[in-house]
Amino acid sequence: MVNSTLSYFILSTYIHVGTLRYLYFVLIAMIYICIVTVNTSLIVIICMNRSLHEPMYLFLCSLFVNELYGSTGLFPFLLLQILSDIHTVSVPFCFLQIFCLYTYAHVEFCNLAVMSYDRYLAICYPLQYNTRMTFNKAVIFLFAIWLYSFVKFLITLSLNIRLPLCGNIINSLYCHNYLVVKLACSDTVVNNIYGLFGVVLTIVVPLLPILFSYMKILKVCFSGSKQTRQKAVSTCTPHLASLLNFSFGCLFEILQSRFNMTGLPSVLRIILSLYFLIIQPLLNPIMYGLQMSKIRNTCKHLLCH
């Protein structure tokens, strides 16, 4: 039976833990505070320090803003659900959360793709870097990334909102686009086709510049000097670590939403489902803050004063 007046969804993955929920609340709250603190600090440092007004740091600033955006789409909601006895979410808020989390993931991949191209220019064309990647070009890249991600998923969301739903139970800790579509009573062929097209775009569009950039960087490293190889390793290591970490988290979440993972322990499934939304926003600022000498030195200077 079609429920045309559906007003809320039930999140069925939450486990009854009794008074332990207060401990989990404190732990999640501390993680969220850490994410907000470290990302905001680095954004302020990059914005306030004129020596960091370069394309590479502008891309990093966008990355840190996106970490705040994605974690804010999950953590306040997660904290409320931990303390609640009834794990429900209103339909409008569910679609809003879906929009936030999916655009966060898309912006993250595209941002990392542009950063790989930026590293390719810096390593392969060091003398021409300042003319090939100007501050204005970096701003245009970032504007295109955010606009493309938002518009692309708005189309997906507009297709999903019109679907009549036959149920309201979502087997997850938070709202998922695919799990909501699975509740539909009507034909979802258009949604599935555009969904597959969207997944291909989300993966292929960022993957092409990443593969191209790293093939060129590897070629230069093998034929270049020891100094070139050291520069490539120092600047590409945090980027590769961030890319692989995020890819792993997203891959598991895609597999979990589309296939039956009940064979895995429920606690492990919960941890892995939150992996890309907890580890990535913590890993990026810590890793880039420690690895990038200009940011590290600026932080030391501020701490000394």
Side-chain angles (χ1 to χ4, degrees), residues 54-61 115 118-119 129 235 292:
E54 298 173 7
M56 178 174 66
Y57 298 104
L58 189 63
F59 295 137
L60 281 177
C61 193
M115 286 172 71
D118 176 71
R119 293 301 81 211
Y129 174 76
T235 58
M292 297 295 181

Side-chain angles (χ1 to χ4, degrees), residues 106-123:
H106 199 276
V107 170
E108 191 84 1
F109 270 126
C110 289
N111 209 132
L112 290 169
V114 172
M115 286 172 71
S116 69
Y117 178 69
D118 176 71
R119 293 301 81 211
Y120 153 69
L121 292 179
I123 294 165

Side-chain angles (χ1 to χ4, degrees), residues 4-17:
S4 59
T5 59
L6 189 69
S7 61
Y8 66 91
F9 292 108
I10 298 170
L11 302 168
S12 64
T13 304
Y14 285 91
I15 303 169
H16 179 70
V17 291

Side-chain angles (χ1 to χ4, degrees), residues 22-275:
Y22 300 111
L23 174 63
Y24 295 143
F25 177 87
V26 171
L27 289 174
I28 296 296
M30 287 174 65
I31 291 170
Y32 182 51
I33 290 167
C34 286
I35 289 171
V36 171
T37 302
V38 293
N39 282 283
T40 304
S41 299
L42 289 177
I43 291 167
V44 171
I45 286 169
I46 292 170
C47 291
M48 298 297 288
N49 195 317
R50 292 182 66 85
S51 67
L52 299 178
H53 291 182
E54 298 173 7
M56 178 174 66
Y57 298 104
L58 189 63
F59 295 137
L60 281 177
C61 193
S62 171
L63 198 67
F64 300 147
V65 169
N66 193 45
E67 307 304 355
L68 289 176
Y69 169 65
S71 56
T72 301
L74 172 72
F75 280 91
F77 170 80
L78 197 61
L79 291 169
L80 287 173
Q81 290 296 328
I82 289 171
L83 292 181
S84 177
D85 293 320
I86 303 170
H87 305 294
T88 60
V89 55
S90 68
V91 171
F93 186 86
C94 188
F95 282 118
L96 177 62
Q97 186 178 56
I98 288 170
F99 178 80
C100 289
L101 297 183
Y102 278 72
T103 50
Y104 157 73
H106 199 276
V107 170
E108 191 84 1
F109 270 126
C110 289
N111 209 132
L112 290 169
V114 172
M115 286 172 71
S116 69
Y117 178 69
D118 176 71
R119 293 301 81 211
Y120 153 69
L121 292 179
I123 294 165
C124 299
Y125 302 96
L127 300 178
Q128 303 168 41
Y129 174 76
N130 289 330
T131 54
R132 289 194 176 208
M133 182 60 76
T134 63
F135 186 85
N136 288 339
K137 283 182 181 178
V139 171
I140 291 169
F141 269 124
L142 291 176
F143 179 76
I145 284 169
W146 284 83
L147 182 64
Y148 165 63
S149 301
F150 276 57
V151 170
K152 177 181 167 293
F153 197 74
L154 274 174
I155 298 169
T156 304
L157 207 62
S158 64
L159 289 172
N160 295 346
I161 288 172
R162 67 178 179 80
L163 292 173
L165 304 175
C166 286
N168 68 340
I169 298 176
I170 299 175
N171 186 27
S172 178
L173 293 173
Y174 50 88
C175 294
H176 266 273
N177 182 57
Y178 182 72
L179 295 180
V180 170
V181 172
K182 281 174 70 175
L183 298 174
C185 305
S186 61
D187 185 20
T188 59
V189 172
V190 175
N191 298 71
N192 292 334
I193 291 172
Y194 183 78
L196 286 171
F197 176 70
V199 169
V200 171
L201 275 183
T202 302
I203 295 170
V204 173
V205 170
L207 191 63
L208 289 177
I210 289 169
L211 291 175
F212 170 81
S213 299
Y214 276 103
M215 284 171 62
K216 294 291 185 181
I217 289 169
L218 283 172
K219 186 178 178 181
V220 169
C221 287
F222 285 126
S223 61
S225 63
K226 184 180 178 181
Q227 186 181 2
T228 304
R229 286 195 293 272
Q230 287 176 339
K231 181 183 178 183
V233 170
S234 65
T235 58
C236 293
T237 299
H239 179 267
L240 273 174
S242 177
L243 182 64
L244 292 172
N245 176 71
F246 193 68
S247 299
F248 167 76
C250 288
L251 177 63
F252 178 81
E253 196 54 15
I254 290 169
L255 292 175
Q256 182 173 236
S257 64
R258 282 165 172 74
F259 300 101
N260 185 9
M261 293 286 200
T262 51
L264 291 175
S266 57
V267 175
L268 180 62
R269 280 189 283 120
I270 288 170
I271 291 170
L272 289 174
S273 70
L274 295 172
Y275 180 88

